[in-house]
Amino acid sequence: MDPIRVPPEMFRFTSGERAELYVSVLHAFGEANERLETALGLDDVRARLRSVGWLDALEDEDLARALDQLRDWDLVDVIQNHSENYRTATEYERRNLQYSLTRQGEAAFAGVVHALSVLASTGALQTAVLDAISDRLGDLVRELDGGSDRRVFSTLTELEGHLEALRGNTKQFNGELQRLLRADGANLATFHEVKASTVTYLQEFLTNLEHRTHGIAVRIRQVEEHGVGLMHQRALLGADLPQLSGTDPGPEWLTHRRARWEGLRAWFLPADGAQPRAEQLHLVARRAIITLLQVLDRITESRRRASSAVADFRELARWFTVVPAQDDLHRLWSTMFGLSSARHAHLAHPDPELVSSTSSWRDAPPVEVSPLLRTAGKTERFARTGRVRDVAAVRAARAEQARAERAELEAAWDMLDTGGAVRLSAFARLDHAVFERLLDLLGRALSNAPERNGVRRGTTSDGRIEILLWPPQDGAVARLTTPQGQFYGPDYELEIRADGGRRIQRASGGRS
């Protein structure tokens, strides 16, 4: 992307002592353009100034100097009006010169108006815009199939307008959201309500967001199947652009359309496989919800507290100033901070007679302190070692359970072995446990990709049973009945093999 270069004189009119007059003059020309009046004389400019709110006294010389200054900045152009009939020299001087905005002047005033509108507006995340983008893409697909070039142009223009609204609203809302996350509200009640409503707003926006973005991506692919270049060429024919200068406006118009289409793909279906911006918006909204909920929890917790820690310490300091006795001060200190005597002070030496009771703790030998006292607040208690449990019965019970489960599994494989060539519908009625085994095998086969011949393979976790699965050629439906209900599914052709190549079942539909 090329760097943005702004003409140095383009926004000079917004600063300085006469900035208000310059802005009002450009505003007057802008209001005239709204009424298709492109050229204004001196009296016309003065009348338009009053309509846009300039009520101060203004001499002709001051207005002429302001127009000359705007002309020097290439914002206003001046021409002579030779189509009028002038009766006097004074009338000629006042009505001969006609002023109009240059392209740079129109762009400068439009930039100021847009900046003020951004300051006055608030961003929004609107699912209606996503639905509108999806609808316009669907309309494009239908128009490309057999519609008119004018309809292709108008639909593409509406699509680009909705995309621009999505981009602008999203950028502005994200900026406001980040400022909200960093803000410290002075009024906690208002601050709490704003954050709570923002969380609700984000949650409603995220509902079905993935479904909407996926639908838009699908329709982008449908449009590209018809050809993006063909769409732009038909839109150019439908635009019917006038050639007011010596250059053809078509190539530049097509360049803008391709850039807009790439912007649409960047939002929903990036060509380079990068993360779509719609998914990035989803992540930003989720992180914002989590952050806002954490802030709301802190605000709610602070409301529950009767006072803050600072107020508690100030109240404690006041108590220390009014307590009269020294013992009361120590009692207050111990009560507030819990600094009582050490928990190991009651421990004694192994042989207390070797240490005099009058000896200073500084001279007495140290006493061993158990690590358990430091971590759990109590000392060890030595008792008889607990009996080791006899696990022979538990081991035998588990072995018997394993044998029973193995026997049940073998019985299930035997019941699945019909001894003939049948399809899935041949298992008309099954015990529910056997049905679960069969369903597990089908799931393992269907979870794997098909081979070149169309077969899907799956094995049990121990590798002893293998299933080969082919899709039904005739689209038949199998119905299996179990004690807990009925199962409907495609009537697959399948073959179940045991370890070593022994065939348990071979389902045949003309295969060998």
Side-chain angles (χ1 to χ4, degrees):
M1 178 182 294
D2 296 333
I4 299 176
R5 295 182 175 88
V6 180
E9 305 293 336
M10 189 169 183
F11 293 103
R12 285 282 301 275
F13 70 97
T14 59
S15 60
E17 296 180 358
R18 301 171 63 87
E20 188 175 356
L21 176 59
Y22 296 147
V23 173
S24 298
V25 170
L26 292 184
H27 190 186
F29 279 104
E31 289 292 324
N33 284 343
E34 291 289 336
R35 294 168 172 79
L36 304 182
E37 300 176 9
T38 56
L40 300 178
L42 199 64
D43 294 335
D44 298 328
V45 174
R46 183 183 298 278
R48 290 295 179 187
L49 282 174
R50 287 193 294 268
S51 65
V52 298
W54 180 270
L55 302 179
D56 295 343
L58 185 63
E59 300 293 337
D60 290 345
E61 295 181 359
D62 294 337
L63 181 56
R65 282 198 299 268
L67 291 171
D68 291 339
Q69 182 62 70
L70 292 175
R71 181 186 178 185
D72 294 339
W73 289 336
D74 197 19
L75 302 178
V76 172
D77 195 10
V78 58
I79 58 175
Q80 290 184 345
N81 186 10
H82 300 289
S83 62
E84 291 285 342
N85 294 321
Y86 307 106
R87 293 174 294 181
T88 62
T90 304
E91 184 177 355
Y92 174 79
E93 291 179 356
R94 297 188 63 85
R95 298 175 57 189
N96 179 39
L97 298 180
Q98 297 287 320
Y99 298 91
S100 62
L101 286 179
T102 62
R103 293 192 63 181
Q104 183 168 317
E106 293 177 355
F109 182 69
V112 172
V113 172
H114 179 71
L116 294 177
S117 65
V118 169
L119 290 175
S121 62
T122 58
L125 301 178
Q126 298 169 337
T127 54
V129 177
L130 296 176
D131 294 336
I133 291 175
S134 180
D135 293 341
R136 295 295 80 76
L137 286 170
D139 295 340
L140 270 180
V141 174
R142 289 189 291 271
E143 295 298 332
L144 291 174
D145 286 335
S148 64
D149 296 339
R150 290 180 178 273
R151 285 293 302 164
V152 172
F153 164 71
S154 61
T155 306
L156 182 61
T157 303
E158 293 177 11
L159 173 63
E160 292 178 352
H162 291 311
L163 177 63
E164 189 64 26
L166 174 65
R167 294 172 57 186
N169 285 333
T170 301
K171 290 188 296 185
Q172 191 169 358
F173 181 82
N174 184 50
E176 295 176 358
L177 180 61
Q178 302 307 318
R179 286 189 289 271
L180 176 63
L181 295 178
R182 297 190 299 265
D184 294 328
N187 188 344
L188 289 181
T190 304
F191 198 57
H192 184 276
E193 293 176 0
V194 170
K195 289 185 180 293
S197 61
T198 304
V199 170
T200 304
Y201 183 81
L202 290 173
Q203 290 174 341
E204 292 177 355
F205 174 75
L206 292 179
T207 303
N208 296 328
L209 177 60
E210 294 181 355
H211 176 72
R212 287 187 171 93
T213 55
H214 175 72
I216 293 175
V218 170
R219 292 190 172 181
I220 290 176
R221 293 190 183 96
Q222 294 175 354
V223 172
E224 292 183 343
E225 289 176 359
H226 291 78
V228 178
L230 175 62
M231 175 187 66
H232 288 157
Q233 289 294 338
R234 292 187 58 182
L236 177 60
L237 294 176
D240 196 14
L241 299 177
Q243 188 171 347
L244 300 178
S245 60
T247 60
D248 183 11
E252 184 177 359
W253 190 88
L254 289 175
T255 302
H256 285 296
R257 300 289 78 74
R258 286 192 291 268
R260 294 290 183 86
W261 186 260
E262 291 300 324
L264 178 65
R265 287 188 61 95
W267 268 91
F268 302 101
L269 190 65
D272 55 356
Q275 185 183 24
R277 295 179 184 174
E279 294 185 6
Q280 298 176 4
L281 176 62
H282 188 276
L283 296 177
V284 168
R286 291 188 60 184
R287 286 197 298 266
I289 289 175
I290 296 174
T291 304
L292 288 172
L293 289 176
Q294 292 174 348
V295 174
L296 290 175
D297 288 340
R298 289 196 294 269
I299 293 176
T300 304
E301 186 64 25
S302 64
R303 286 180 171 182
R304 292 176 180 174
R305 289 179 53 87
S307 60
S308 63
V310 175
D312 293 341
F313 278 110
R314 288 176 177 172
E315 182 65 19
L316 179 61
R318 190 182 66 82
W319 288 357
F320 272 105
T321 58
V322 298
V323 173
Q326 189 74 13
D327 295 340
D328 295 334
L329 288 173
H330 285 289
R331 191 180 306 109
L332 177 61
W333 175 272
S334 300
T335 302
M336 296 305 300
F337 298 102
L339 299 179
S340 56
S341 58
R343 291 178 294 179
H344 63 274
H346 64 284
L347 299 179
H349 292 278
D351 191 354
E353 296 181 356
L354 297 179
V355 181
S356 174
S357 59
T358 59
S359 298
S360 172
W361 63 272
R362 188 176 302 172
D363 301 330
V367 177
E368 291 187 6
V369 179
S370 171
L372 184 63
L373 180 64
R374 183 181 303 108
T375 58
K378 57 183 180 180
T379 58
E380 296 91 340
R381 293 185 179 180
F382 298 98
R384 180 181 299 177
T385 304
R387 295 180 57 185
V388 178
R389 184 168 62 122
D390 186 6
V391 296
V394 178
R395 187 182 304 165
R398 290 178 179 175
E400 182 62 26
Q401 181 181 0
R403 285 192 294 269
E405 291 177 354
R406 188 62 191 174
E408 180 184 351
L409 182 61
E410 294 292 343
W413 297 141
D414 293 340
M415 292 183 67
L416 291 176
D417 182 11
T418 62
V422 294
R423 297 174 70 171
L424 181 60
S425 57
F427 300 104
R429 184 176 296 275
L430 291 174
D431 183 74
H432 193 74
V434 179
F435 170 72
E436 288 182 345
R437 302 292 182 186
L438 177 61
L439 199 62
D440 178 65
L441 284 176
L442 292 174
R444 292 177 183 272
L446 292 174
S447 63
N448 296 325
E451 300 178 358
R452 291 185 177 180
N453 57 358
V455 64
R456 295 175 183 266
R457 297 177 181 268
T459 58
T460 57
S461 57
D462 56 2
R464 297 185 58 184
I465 306 298
E466 181 184 21
I467 179 173
L468 282 72
L469 195 66
W470 292 269
Q473 302 298 326
D474 52 1
V477 177
R479 183 181 71 176
L480 304 181
T481 304
T482 69
Q484 299 187 12
Q486 292 183 345
F487 169 81
Y488 293 89
D491 196 6
Y492 287 104
E493 303 174 20
L494 54 89
E495 181 178 350
I496 302 177
R497 297 174 178 176
D499 186 20
R502 180 178 65 85
R503 178 178 298 177
I504 288 183
Q505 176 182 324
R506 165 69 174 168
S508 176
R511 301 182 185 274
S512 59

